[in-house]
Amino acid sequence: MPVSDHSLAGLQKAADLVEMQTVLAKYATAVDARRWELLDEVFVPGSVIDFTRNGGDRSTYPDILDYLRPAMAIFATCQHYFMNFQFDVTGDTGGGRFYCATQMVTIVAEGEEKLLADGGFYDVTFTRTNDGWRVQELVAGLTWLDGEWPEGVPRPAWYGVSTDRY
């Protein structure tokens, strides 16, 4: 039985969505393991990365590394978990929203660790390149925090306020 154009289009879309999720898994690995060189396989040069809703910076890639490296250095370790992908693909662009939960460990004194967990979402736009899908824009949005917030780190503007966080 021959495969219809409709079936082929569906298969291509499914492959695109899996590749986008794989790119985001590489982003999580790069940040969690501090393997910053992997981000070259995540972002196109000049991509916009925006952490302002989280109390962080907005910049372009690779300049955002000037924010990410010291921001992540305060944690002994962290793990990002991505889920609830709601992406669409139109030609050579795609994206949407996905959820994130992160657990981070700070060392508060020799031999003592504190766990900080947070959750929220990312809005992401992808572009298809000759090397596959890459992130064109990534906008973070925390919606909750649990644990001891590190001293000297700015909290999101919404912290302690009953408001729409999405």
Side-chain angles (χ1 to χ4, degrees), residues 2-164:
V3 178
S4 71
D5 288 345
H6 179 70
S7 295
L8 289 175
L11 289 172
Q12 181 60 56
K13 182 177 180 178
D16 290 340
L17 296 173
V18 168
E19 186 178 347
M20 289 174 184
Q21 291 178 25
T22 301
V23 168
L24 293 173
K26 194 168 285 186
Y27 167 76
T29 299
V31 173
D32 292 348
R34 296 175 179 97
R35 293 185 54 203
W36 307 115
E37 73 282 0
L38 290 178
L39 294 179
D40 287 342
E41 300 172 37
V42 174
F43 298 108
V44 294
S47 293
V48 173
I49 299 96
D50 187 346
F51 296 106
T52 55
R53 285 190 243 177
N54 299 359
D57 287 357
R58 174 186 167 99
S59 189
T60 57
Y61 184 77
D63 295 339
I64 194 68
L65 290 172
D66 293 337
Y67 164 74
L68 275 176
R69 283 184 179 117
M72 298 311 297
I74 64 172
F75 301 108
T77 191
C78 66
Q79 287 185 315
H80 286 77
Y81 304 94
F82 297 156
M83 66 216 88
N84 295 11
F85 299 95
Q86 301 168 2
F87 293 166
D88 200 12
V89 177
T90 305
D92 291 336
T93 61
R97 178 170 279 192
F98 64 99
Y99 285 11
C100 176
T102 309
Q103 296 190 38
M104 299 156 285
V105 174
T106 56
I107 307 296
V108 292
E110 187 62 37
E112 186 181 353
E113 298 183 354
K114 294 285 184 178
L115 181 65
L116 172 66
D118 68 31
F121 61 88
Y122 285 92
D123 290 324
V124 63
T125 303
F126 291 92
T127 188
R128 190 189 315 265
T129 72
N130 290 335
D131 297 318
W133 288 101
R134 296 293 185 266
V135 173
Q136 185 68 48
E137 183 176 40
L138 186 67
V139 180
L142 286 177
T143 59
W144 60 268
L145 297 167
D146 184 30
E148 191 171 316
W149 191 256
E151 231 177 272
V153 176
R155 288 190 171 128
W158 53 257
Y159 187 80
V161 178
S162 181
T163 183
D164 179 6

